[in-house]
Amino acid sequence: MALPVAFFALFFAWPVAAIVARGLKTDGTWRLGRIADVVTQPDIRHVLWFTTWQALASTALTLLLALPAAHVFARLDFPGKHLLRAVVTVPFVLPTVVAGSAFLALVGRGGLLDELWGVRLDTTVWAILLAHVFFNFAVVVRTVGGLWAQLDPRQEEAARMLGASPLAAWRKITLPALAPAVAAAALMVFLFTFTSFGVVQILGGPTFSTLEVEIYRQTSEVFDLSTAAVLTLVQFAAVGAILAVHAWTVRRRETALRLVDPKVTARRPRGAGQWALLAGVLATVALLLVLPLAVLVRRSLDAPGLGYYRALTDPDGGTFLVAPVHAVWTSLEYAVVATAIALLIGGLAAAALARRDAGRLVRGFDALLMLPLGVSAVTVGFGFLIALDRPPLDLRQSWILVPLAQALVGAPFVVRTMLPVLRAVDGRLREAAAVLGASPWRVWREVDLPLVRRALLVAAGFAFAVSLGEFGATVFIARPDNPTLPVAVARLLSRPGDLNYGQAMALSTILMLVCAVALLVLERLRTDRTGEF
């Protein structure tokens, strides 16, 4: 626990505390009364209410649509499965500004729905809810599906032989085993929708605003750092309470499970019901995930002769010090470093939290690990600039600052992906290996690692994808000569002109393709080298 605690203390707790203190402290005096003044304002109360209920609705809708897909990926085998899994994950890493614009092209004025049926959803909350499902569909599929594929199907089959209906067998056998993974996925979806920024800013307009949007507005438009600090504390407290409840309830329900090789649990669809389920999932993926991506690609090809793509190789003296295409290589380099950091920090934390003799202090750290997902990225970005500005941690001019910020977001995914599997490993296997003389390191290498290798690769894919698409904190700390893809896209979108807009769409398409290829390679490695359980 030493390294994860030190990492989160230095690169999360300290920067957030610095920015909050800057907003609530004047001439050495704390202005705590400012908290009550802000939260009692009618417009702020409306923001708090909308932030909460839209996050709950988005989480419920995502689970409703994504859990059948998790079952299909875990239990059914069909051509193109690995490619489809990579496609499902791509929307999750797209910059929110770009994906929100692409989704607006479907449901907004002059969009596809408006052209075909005269239907517009951009002025309703449904546009926000559907866009949140678009982003978070992969979280449920990969988190729940990863554990579901390793559950022994013979337990459910035995219940069926004893007379249980398919629904009763699933509800009494499979669902309790999946509960920790479902809770972890629901928690991540809720945190992402509770702190939603780009989607609400584009699709919500002046009508809808979340805490994250309001913090950004107070910081960059109104320049009221005091109000922004209060809202950050409110967001921090709400997320902390949610994580504490989650850690307590999930801990009580986690038990050792019988895990098997996922390659033997997936079968060809049998019967009309399974074929109908597969068709329904494919239709959902096509309409909700692929269609917005297709709109994105089409917009990048509007210029004849791939004009937008060719323009990316020209140095841009207005916004960047380098050609926009340089952002592709910068993002890949940063993502690799951030993934390594996230795997190290998240893997150590998950291993410590998985021990059944862990004390309350260690178990409490489980909730703290998720706080970076629930704290404003604007706050974290500004906090980096304020806190890490003097020796021995003067990192404002260092390239490592960006991977550190990205790893803060990637590490919770590593923990949440690996923890259910680590806790499901039968402790008697470790005890038997220790009795036979194996050292702790050898026990981990020969008992735990073969069982969690699949989860480790899934966690690596999540961390890499999140690092590629991280925007909120990176936009404040990325250097002009080394912009990441999301930062480059946002800056191009902020400039007028068709050429800038087209280059932004071209860069977004490149990001989408890079992510799809990386995830497809990961799928091959994961299925070919998982080994026997």
Side-chain angles (χ1 to χ4, degrees), residues 99-386:
S101 299
F103 210 86
L104 187 64
L106 294 178
V107 301
R109 181 177 182 180
L112 186 61
L113 294 182
D114 193 13
E115 292 179 358
L116 295 178
W117 299 293
V119 176
R120 289 181 55 188
L121 300 177
D122 57 321
T123 57
T124 70
V125 73
W126 279 105
I128 296 175
L129 299 182
L130 292 176
H132 283 161
V133 176
F134 170 82
F135 276 108
N136 297 295
F137 194 88
V139 175
V140 178
V141 170
R142 298 186 73 92
T143 304
V144 179
L147 180 60
W148 203 336
Q150 294 179 261
L151 295 181
D152 192 344
R154 291 174 295 183
Q155 298 179 8
E156 190 171 331
E157 293 170 359
R160 295 283 306 278
M161 293 181 63
L162 293 175
S165 65
L167 180 59
W170 180 82
R171 181 171 55 85
K172 296 183 178 181
I173 303 297
T174 304
L175 184 58
L178 288 176
V182 173
L187 174 67
M188 286 189 284
V189 173
F190 182 85
L191 288 179
F192 276 118
T193 53
F194 188 82
T195 59
S196 182
F197 174 62
V199 169
V200 179
Q201 188 178 39
I202 292 176
L203 299 177
T207 306
F208 305 109
S209 178
T210 59
L211 269 174
E212 187 83 358
V213 174
E214 189 64 22
I215 291 172
Y216 176 81
R217 191 180 73 85
Q218 295 291 337
T219 303
S220 61
E221 297 179 9
V222 184
F223 303 108
D224 187 351
L225 195 58
S226 175
T227 299
V230 171
L231 295 180
T232 297
L233 288 177
V234 171
Q235 190 179 58
F236 191 88
V239 171
I242 295 166
L243 293 177
V245 173
H246 166 82
W248 180 74
T249 56
V250 171
R251 179 73 182 183
R252 289 168 58 91
R253 302 188 65 175
E254 285 177 334
T255 57
L257 305 175
R258 177 180 175 83
L259 302 181
V260 298
D261 187 345
K263 291 186 290 186
V264 303
T265 62
R267 301 173 180 175
R268 288 281 183 174
R270 294 176 297 182
Q274 291 188 351
W275 282 107
L277 178 62
L278 177 59
V281 169
L282 292 177
T284 300
V285 171
L287 293 176
L288 192 60
L289 306 184
V290 177
L291 192 56
L293 299 180
V295 172
L296 189 66
V297 175
R298 184 187 64 81
R299 288 185 172 182
S300 72
L301 299 174
D302 283 345
L306 301 178
Y308 293 144
Y309 289 91
R310 288 189 285 106
L312 295 177
T313 61
D314 298 331
D316 188 327
T319 302
F320 309 112
L321 302 179
V322 295
V325 73
H326 182 73
V328 177
W329 314 115
T330 301
S331 289
L332 291 175
E333 293 170 355
Y334 285 162
V336 169
V337 176
T339 300
I341 297 173
L343 287 177
L344 176 62
I345 300 300
L348 289 174
L353 293 169
R355 293 180 60 90
R356 303 200 177 274
D357 58 349
R360 289 186 176 181
L361 184 61
V362 174
R363 292 198 301 268
F365 190 64
D366 185 10
L368 296 179
L369 288 170
M370 298 296 293
L371 285 179
L373 300 182
V375 173
S376 169
V378 176
T379 301
V380 174
F382 275 141
F384 266 45
L385 297 178
I386 292 175

